[in-house]
Amino acid sequence: MVRITGTVMTSLRWAFHFGSWKPTRSEWMLAAQCVQQEEKERIAKFVFTKDGKAAMAGRLLMRKAITDSLQIPWNEIKLLRTDKGKPYLVNNVANIYPNFNFNVSHQGDFAVLATEPVLQVGVDVMKVEQPSRTNVPDFFHTMRKQFTNHEWRTIKSAKDEWKQLEMFYRYWCLKESYIKAIGIGLGYDLQRIEFHVRNPELSQEEIDQDTVVYVDKKLDKTWRFQEMKLNENHIVAVALWDKTPDSDSQTQMLVRKSGDVIKDKEDSSDVITDGADSGDVIKNRAKPALFRIFDFTELMSTAKPLLPADDEYWDIFSKKSERYLPVKK
């Protein structure tokens, strides 16, 4: 939590279970009135309602977070996307909240959001599920280049295939949250970042903060990670980066080597620790809040329409299928 000009801005951790949301006509029309025209049109292009609901939930979470955090009226918020597709706030608040940033993710049945007043933030959510068209060993083989030797050993040391999948998706969440925080996309070797988890199991009752990251085999102490389960089969990870110029960051070097510019708004036996114990990274940390799961009424509690009502928007949405269902032969 950060105190700025007499007010207190907190870090937000929010989620919405769009998988169980069955929008009524009035709910979907209200939601469509409360996003920007270009986003409304983009959401309408999804073939299946589940994808449309996921995208809609992400936009609504962003607008509510900005309204609640920055006191900008919902209908005055202006959002755009970077050339890499990351949403950012156009409204000028840099003189009051220079480091405020947010990130969203949706996958499985959840949309999630994280905001931070100071640290750079990335968030990712994944549903743990069996591969749809193959078995677990073959699935892992196709993904073999995405993780380091250490990470694969940790994944495959789990007691059964389901636990191995849980660890696989946990690592995937961590890597995605890291990449989203630095905002450079997936255009470089994911084996350059290696995560070391201390607790093999995540919980719905508390946040795990014990994971650390090695970048190019060196511990990067400028990062913190927060992990938990949203329910029995959804994992969420938040990456927090102290990107101040004087921070001793391996990530700064990784970004420079990749040729990307960060915009504001192998085997673990080879890891170099520089004499620093990874335990030093996780000492003296405040206990973060759990993700708060909203229902639709709570999500829309501060909403103000930007657009007029559109009956046709509901008519089009209501005729779509929830998701793809393969034809049984």
Side-chain angles (χ1 to χ4, degrees):
M1 155 178 327
V2 173
R3 185 175 296 275
I4 306 175
T5 63
T7 62
V8 174
M9 178 184 285
T10 59
S11 303
L12 300 181
R13 304 289 183 266
W14 289 353
F16 181 72
H17 193 280
F18 65 82
S20 61
W21 180 33
K22 309 296 182 186
T24 63
R25 179 179 182 276
S26 61
E27 286 178 346
W28 191 249
M29 288 180 63
L30 175 60
Q33 287 181 266
C34 294
V35 296
Q36 291 166 203
Q37 181 66 33
E38 62 271 23
E39 293 299 331
K40 176 185 170 184
E41 293 172 359
R42 178 174 168 270
I43 291 167
K45 292 178 181 178
F46 286 106
V47 175
F48 301 109
T49 61
K50 186 173 184 179
D51 299 320
K53 291 189 300 179
M56 182 70 81
R59 304 311 288 190
L60 297 174
L61 283 166
M62 279 188 273
R63 298 189 82 89
K64 179 171 175 58
I66 292 166
T67 292
D68 288 11
S69 296
L70 303 177
Q71 305 304 305
I72 301 173
W74 186 297
N75 56 349
E76 295 179 16
I77 295 167
K78 179 63 176 176
L79 296 166
L80 290 178
R81 292 177 182 269
T82 67
D83 56 0
K84 296 185 182 298
K86 185 175 182 179
Y88 68 93
L89 180 64
V90 177
N91 306 66
N92 185 13
V93 295
N95 58 330
I96 305 173
Y97 306 105
N99 298 315
F100 174 79
N101 67 117
F102 59 89
N103 197 230
V104 296
S105 176
H106 47 76
Q107 199 275 335
D109 297 317
F110 276 96
V112 296
L113 168 139
T115 72
E116 280 295 316
V118 177
L119 300 176
Q120 196 73 12
V121 66
V123 66
D124 195 61
V125 61
M126 291 297 297
K127 183 177 183 178
V128 181
E129 53 190 346
Q130 293 286 342
S132 59
R133 294 183 176 87
T134 186
N135 57 43
V136 172
D138 287 347
F139 173 64
F140 285 168
H141 181 75
T142 63
M143 302 297 290
R144 63 191 181 280
K145 294 182 179 179
Q146 307 305 320
F147 302 107
T148 68
N149 292 339
H150 166 81
E151 290 166 339
W152 276 121
R153 282 199 300 272
T154 305
I155 291 168
K156 293 180 179 180
S157 68
K159 63 182 181 180
D160 55 43
E161 283 193 346
W162 183 255
K163 289 297 182 183
Q164 289 178 18
L165 282 168
E166 279 194 347
M167 188 59 72
F168 172 90
Y169 284 113
R170 182 177 175 185
Y171 273 129
W172 191 260
C173 251
L174 286 164
K175 296 213 176 195
E176 284 278 359
S177 66
Y178 175 99
I179 289 165
K180 292 176 74 178
I182 60 179
I184 66 173
L186 289 168
Y188 64 91
D189 186 0
L190 289 179
Q191 293 198 28
R192 294 178 66 185
I193 52 176
E194 177 175 284
F195 290 91
H196 289 216
V197 300
R198 294 194 169 198
N199 299 322
E201 297 282 344
L202 296 179
S203 167
Q204 297 179 55
E205 283 73 45
E206 63 179 330
I207 300 286
D208 184 282
Q209 297 189 91
D210 290 347
T211 294
V212 295
V213 68
Y214 288 77
V215 180
D216 289 337
K217 301 181 180 181
K218 183 176 180 181
L219 178 66
D220 192 332
K221 295 188 285 183
T222 64
W223 286 90
R224 288 185 271 162
F225 298 92
Q226 300 172 350
E227 304 172 84
M228 68 172 288
K229 284 185 172 181
L230 294 174
N231 61 15
E232 278 303 311
N233 59 352
H234 284 81
I235 292 169
V236 63
V238 177
L240 301 169
W241 182 29
D242 177 5
K243 54 173 281 189
T244 52
D246 58 347
S247 62
D248 180 20
S249 175
Q250 286 297 107
T251 297
Q252 297 280 13
M253 288 186 282
L254 180 149
V255 172
R256 285 195 291 271
K257 289 176 184 177
S258 74
D260 285 285
V261 177
I262 302 174
K263 297 181 179 179
D264 289 332
K265 320 244 171 202
E266 332 256 324
D267 191 307
S268 64
S269 62
D270 295 328
V271 162
I272 302 169
T273 64
D274 247 6
D277 184 344
S278 61
D280 295 338
V281 183
I282 59 177
K283 291 178 181 177
N284 301 319
R285 291 190 181 168
K287 185 177 181 180
L290 300 175
F291 271 77
R292 177 183 175 185
I293 301 176
F294 286 99
D295 61 29
F296 183 75
T297 300
E298 293 169 327
L299 182 58
M300 303 299 289
S301 62
T302 54
K304 292 183 180 180
L306 292 71
L307 304 173
D310 185 347
D311 290 310
E312 186 181 4
Y313 201 73
W314 165 255
D315 293 338
I316 294 171
F317 174 82
S318 63
K319 293 174 183 176
K320 295 179 179 180
S321 300
E322 173 75 1
R323 59 186 176 88
Y324 171 72
L325 295 173
V327 178
K328 293 182 180 180
K329 297 182 179 180

